[in-house]
């Protein structure tokens, strides 16, 4: 499965992703070195924290243009949690801060009180969402190959994606509103949930990602 570059930009949750790679028998390296990133077979951008702070670090480490080269060169790229949010254009969490803008869409705060999209009842929910929630599949993405719809994965987040292009959304979940929980476009994949903390289902998702090759989209 080659070598996976896990981006080290002081944004938390890095070690759990590294441990998941070890459990899968995957060689990985924690790095912010552009040469190492661009020579990797897969790249993972994890993250827990604030959107604006994370973009400040990515800019200070000179990684923004590196990520654009990763996507342009077709290297399979996976954003996890905050790593998903950073791929988009902006976030309500950090007004005026520009995201990576690799994919079209914006990040908004989960409503504390809203009409439940499944029951239609007005309900109040805790924010952040912390815990297990199930996925529905608007279309079958490669990350979810062999995974049944309504499988449960683990979330920790206060903000969520509203994708501008519905065709890139491969998984959704309901938590006070419909949340775009996973996206895929070409070699770019992302999950709002934490596959590395989602036990058997999460490890299958990571295995599916590692199965994607730069030159082979059929895996």
């Amino acid at each position: 499965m080659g070598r996976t570059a896990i981006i080290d930009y002081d944004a938390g949750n890095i070690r759990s992703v590294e441990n998941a790679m070890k459990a899968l028998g995957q060689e990985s390296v924690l790095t912010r070195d552009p040469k190492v990133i661009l020579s990797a077979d897969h790249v993972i951008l994890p993250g827990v924290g604030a959107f604006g702070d994370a973009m400040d670090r990515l800019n200070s480490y000179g990684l923004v243009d590196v990520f654009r080269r990763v996507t342009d060169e077709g290297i399979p790229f996976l954003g996890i949690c905050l790593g998903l949010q950073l791929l988009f254009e902006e976030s309500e969490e950090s007004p005026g801060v520009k995201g990576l803008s690799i994919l079209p869409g914006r990040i908004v705060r989960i409503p504390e009180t809203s009409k439940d999209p499944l029951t239609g009842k007005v309900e109040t929910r805790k924010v952040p969402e912390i815990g297990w929630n199930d996925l529905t599949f608007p279309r079958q993405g490669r990350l979810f190959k062999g995974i049944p719809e309504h499988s449960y994965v683990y979330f920790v987040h206060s903000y969520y994606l509203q994708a501008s292009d519905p065709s890139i959304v491969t998984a959704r979940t309901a938590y006070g509103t419909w949340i775009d929980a996973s996206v895929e476009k070409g070699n770019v994949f992302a999950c709002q949930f934490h596959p590395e903390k989602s036990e058997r289902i999460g490890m299958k998702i990571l295995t599916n990602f590692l199965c994607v090759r730069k030159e082979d989209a059929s895996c």
Side-chain angles (χ1 to χ4, degrees), residues 81-166:
C81 194
L82 180 59
L84 170 143
Q85 297 179 9
L86 296 170
L87 292 173
F88 290 84
E89 296 162 312
E90 60 182 351
S91 174
E92 286 184 351
E93 184 178 23
S94 304
V97 176
K98 184 179 179 181
L100 294 171
S101 301
I102 290 171
L103 297 172
R106 63 194 300 264
I107 308 302
V108 299
R109 185 171 172 81
I110 297 172
E112 294 185 5
T113 302
S114 62
K115 184 180 292 187
D116 187 282
L118 298 176
T119 67
K121 296 179 180 179
V122 175
E123 296 181 356
T124 299
R125 287 177 173 78
K126 293 182 179 179
V127 178
E129 177 188 16
I130 301 176
W132 297 84
N133 209 340
D134 70 323
L135 299 175
T136 60
F137 301 144
R139 68 182 183 92
Q140 186 67 51
R142 284 173 284 171
L143 290 185
F144 304 103
K145 183 178 180 180
I147 293 176
E149 195 166 30
H150 300 296
S151 292
Y152 278 77
V153 291
Y154 190 79
F155 288 85
V156 182
H157 65 128
S158 298
Y159 293 82
Y160 72 100
L161 167 65
Q162 289 181 339
S164 298
D165 179 2

Side-chain angles (χ1 to χ4, degrees), residues 136-144 166-172 181-184 190:
T136 60
F137 301 144
R139 68 182 183 92
Q140 186 67 51
R142 284 173 284 171
L143 290 185
F144 304 103
S167 72
I168 71 173
V169 178
T170 54
R172 304 172 82 201
S182 189
V183 296
E184 174 184 339

Side-chain angles (χ1 to χ4, degrees), residues 161-203:
L161 167 65
Q162 289 181 339
S164 298
D165 179 2
S167 72
I168 71 173
V169 178
T170 54
R172 304 172 82 201
T173 194
Y175 192 78
T177 185
W178 281 112
I179 289 169
D180 295 336
S182 189
V183 296
E184 174 184 339
K185 184 177 182 181
N187 62 306
V188 180
F189 303 81
C191 302
Q192 179 60 67
F193 57 89
H194 290 272
E196 78 283 2
K197 296 181 179 180
S198 297
E199 299 179 353
R200 180 181 60 84
I201 293 296
M203 296 302 273

